[in-house]
Amino acid sequence: MRPKVLVARAVFADAVERLREHFEVESNDADEIWHQAELIRRLQGKAGLFITGTQLIDADLLASCPLLRAICSMAVGYNNVDLPACTARGVLVSNAPDVLTETTADFGFALMMATARRISEGERFLRSGRWVKWSYDLFAGADIHGATLGVFGMGRIGQAIARRGALGFGMRVLYHNRSRLSPDIESTLGATHVTKQQLLRDSDHLVIVVPYSPASHHAIGAPELALMKPTATLTNIARGGVVDDAALAQALRDKRIAAAGLDVFEGEPAVHPGLLEVPNVVLTPHIASASIPTRRAMAHLAVDNLIAALGAGPSAGRPPTALNPEVLAQR
Ligand code: 8YV
């Protein structure tokens, strides 16, 4: 009998088709949002699960689904998955790194530029019919070129943003990260490692790319925002929860910082009402990796992982981007 697999959200048909070549597949083509009990109900008897960054995989779910052997996510971030609990239960977990790095960095840069140059504010103004004359300071914002870019979290996406800033826009690049890059990489990127305080104080444009974990919860809150320049912008493409959205809304209202660009939110798809009320923020619905080729590559990488993790296909037993490969050794 072929293993059974559940695809928790709608995804490219060709990706699901590849799963059907190896498994008996139940897919959520209607893209319903299943509550946790429904997800658990549908997982009964399934060996594999395809998820996005939005399904919660916790110890309760794992305990209720004893046949589950592999979970593949089409996201790079995996804060929605209790990885130690999966490892303890012998469930192989994979994510989808690398394939989204450049696309996500493009978007982070675009969001930072839109924020600094007040593009959303300008468009709302124009669309509402209020543009009646040119003025010397109409939506005058901050420059990107020659400014100081601060990167908080210098993983793959952070490095790709730093590269764009240094090489494309002549920016001075500062970064803060738990571990420092090698001197080689620092000099290629033209990036200088600084303390978090210095990063907050010196950045003209701060971009948040640090993964979410209990340690990074509200890493940017009222005390951190108070250290930033009043002319600075903040862009968050990491995860809601890294930034304290209530504190940010207050800082934007008080003009403690000039503007923010946000692609991710605490409790999304809900957005803090204070953020919807202030004009100096660009808001997008978690789309940083959303180019068609990249979303397709993410889905297919997740499929590669699930096929291999369940012992099928040419890479059987060797899922390319497993997060807990030690589970395979125990099988
Ligand atoms: C995804 C993301 O859009 O990969 C991530 O971690 O946040 C986004 O690229 C989303 O989570 C897809 O599942």
Side-chain angles (χ1 to χ4, degrees):
M1 218 176 59
R2 302 195 319 162
K4 292 183 181 166
V5 156
L6 179 67
V7 181
R9 294 293 307 274
V11 72
F12 298 96
D14 50 326
V16 178
E17 220 30 65
R18 285 184 56 218
L19 290 173
R20 289 195 202 283
E21 288 167 18
H22 303 277
F23 312 120
E24 201 179 302
V25 178
E26 177 184 342
S27 57
N28 181 2
D29 299 337
D31 207 24
E32 290 165 2
I33 300 300
W34 296 330
H35 50 72
Q36 200 68 359
E38 179 66 7
L39 177 61
I40 290 172
R41 190 185 70 75
R42 290 184 186 259
L43 268 175
Q44 297 311 302
K46 306 285 195 307
L49 172 62
F50 179 116
I51 59 169
T52 67
T54 51
Q55 287 70 51
L56 178 69
I57 307 299
D58 59 10
D60 284 350
L61 177 140
L62 295 168
S64 309
C65 306
L67 297 185
L68 195 58
R69 287 165 54 213
I71 299 172
C72 70
S73 174
M74 66 173 279
V76 63
Y78 52 91
N79 54 296
N80 54 322
V81 177
D82 184 338
L83 190 59
C86 288
T87 307
R89 289 224 166 235
V91 176
L92 189 286
V93 182
S94 59
N95 67 339
D98 301 321
V99 289
L100 81 184
T101 301
E102 299 300 327
T103 296
T104 305
D106 283 350
F107 187 90
F109 218 86
L111 188 55
M112 177 184 80
M113 292 188 79
T115 302
R117 297 301 306 275
R118 308 178 63 182
I119 287 178
S120 296
E121 277 182 275
E123 183 177 2
R124 283 195 297 270
F125 175 81
L126 181 151
R127 283 181 183 276
S128 68
R130 284 178 286 158
W131 187 28
V132 289
K133 63 176 184 346
W134 178 94
S135 318
Y136 77 99
D137 61 349
L138 186 64
F139 296 110
D143 273 325
I144 298 293
H145 72 273
T148 298
L149 170 65
V151 183
F152 183 44
M154 199 54 142
R156 289 166 283 225
I157 297 169
Q159 291 178 41
I161 289 173
R163 202 171 352 100
R164 281 161 177 73
L167 304 182
F169 290 80
M171 299 179 87
R172 169 184 175 228
V173 180
L174 306 178
Y175 77 97
H176 180 72
N177 200 46
R178 256 180 328 186
S179 51
R180 207 175 149 167
L181 298 173
S182 72
D184 274 7
I185 302 180
E186 279 189 355
S187 88
T188 312
L189 295 174
T192 305
H193 185 262
V194 292
T195 63
K196 186 177 164 191
Q197 285 218 337
Q198 198 182 339
L199 186 80
L200 291 162
R201 284 208 178 100
D202 290 0
S203 298
D204 295 314
H205 304 295
L206 179 67
V207 182
I208 316 291
V209 241
V210 73
Y212 181 80
S213 71
S216 63
H217 181 74
H218 286 187
I220 306 291
E224 289 75 19
L225 292 162
L227 291 177
M228 293 176 70
K229 300 179 189 182
T231 50
T233 73
L234 176 152
T235 297
N236 186 9
I237 56 164
R239 278 288 180 274
V242 174
V243 174
D244 177 344
D245 285 348
L248 177 61
Q250 188 64 47
L252 291 166
R253 194 177 307 120
D254 298 347
K255 306 269 173 59
R256 271 291 319 128
I257 64 169
L262 305 174
D263 186 50
V264 288
F265 305 88
E266 289 188 279
E268 65 185 50
V271 175
H272 191 285
L275 292 170
L276 297 170
E277 283 161 14
V278 286
N280 47 343
V281 58
V282 182
L283 304 168
T284 53
H286 202 148
I287 54 172
S289 65
S291 75
I292 298 286
T294 289
R295 282 283 168 85
R296 190 179 291 281
M298 291 159 71
H300 279 278
L301 178 54
V303 165
D304 292 343
N305 274 297
L306 196 54
I307 292 172
L310 293 178
S315 308
R318 287 175 287 115
T321 54
L323 290 165
N324 55 354
E326 63 272 26
V327 162
L328 293 167
Q330 292 156 14
R331 281 186 185 162

